[in-house]
Amino acid sequence: MQLRNHSDHYGWLTILLHWGMAILIIALFFLGKYMVDLDYYDPWYKAAPDLHRSFGVVVATLLILRLVWRLSNVHPAMIGKPWEKQAAIWVHRLFYVLIIAVVISGYLITTADGQNISVFNWFEIPASFQGFENQEDIAGEFHEWFTYILILLVGLHALAALKHHFFNHDTTLSRMLGFSDPEQIEQGQIEQEQIEQEINQTTTYNHHNSQE
């Protein structure tokens, strides 16, 4: 498998970034749900939020890397009907917006009282913006809602991938897993061309009838 993407399959760096971020986002969601119910005397009372913040910084870093890599790399041709392709484009855009919103709101929660963010006790991110009224509470509300929407979107994204794999029988999921072989890719291209031909024929037929 190549480092960089190809016109019909993903490179290993894109695959690692995709699954690495997916695992971290889901894990951080459950860690966040777990830590809000901890009492002061629980041994994880301080450790859990520290890990949550540190891995949140990792997600933000991976997002920047992923965006840079995407802009400087070939993106494989999308598979599916035109509406499916448009839906996929907007879902990915919404992913990026929500992740950025979750990171920013999380930053505002921690820095509301001027506290820096310690990242695995290796270095600190300064609290460069704080002070508006009820910052921690307001940012916390937004953080929670953004997170729920993000997880819902992750679930819908997973269902769409499974639909492509088990019902459409195309390579949408397998190529993100790195399992696509040349025969699968060729078959997927043939099926995609057939779909486009059917759409073009339908459009031509409707246009012809409208002129009569």
Side-chain angles (χ1 to χ4, degrees), residues 92-157:
H92 278 88
R93 289 174 179 172
L94 188 54
F95 265 131
Y96 297 139
V97 171
L98 284 171
I99 294 171
I100 292 170
V102 168
V103 169
I104 292 175
S105 58
Y107 172 83
L108 292 176
I109 294 171
T110 302
T111 60
D113 58 357
Q115 175 187 346
N116 295 338
I117 298 177
S118 175
V119 182
F120 300 115
N121 291 322
W122 296 343
F123 62 93
E124 291 188 347
I125 298 176
S128 56
F129 181 82
Q130 76 279 340
F132 67 83
E133 188 177 358
N134 298 321
Q135 176 176 320
E136 185 174 359
D137 293 335
I138 295 172
E141 288 289 331
F142 278 105
H143 189 74
E144 183 177 14
W145 279 107
F146 288 146
T147 302
Y148 277 121
I149 297 171
L150 179 60
I151 290 299
L152 176 62
L153 201 62
V154 168
L156 293 174
H157 183 63

Side-chain angles (χ1 to χ4, degrees), residues 79-90:
I79 301 172
K81 298 176 181 178
W83 69 267
E84 291 177 317
K85 294 179 181 180
Q86 284 298 314
I89 290 171
W90 283 104

Side-chain angles (χ1 to χ4, degrees), residues 14-28 58-67 95-96 99-100 103 150 154:
T14 298
I15 294 174
L16 285 178
L17 287 171
H18 177 274
W19 291 110
M21 289 187 66
I23 292 170
L24 282 174
I25 288 169
I26 294 170
L28 284 172
V58 173
V59 169
T61 304
L62 291 177
L63 177 63
I64 294 171
L65 178 59
R66 182 171 179 174
L67 287 171
F95 265 131
Y96 297 139
I99 294 171
I100 292 170
V103 169
L150 179 60
V154 168

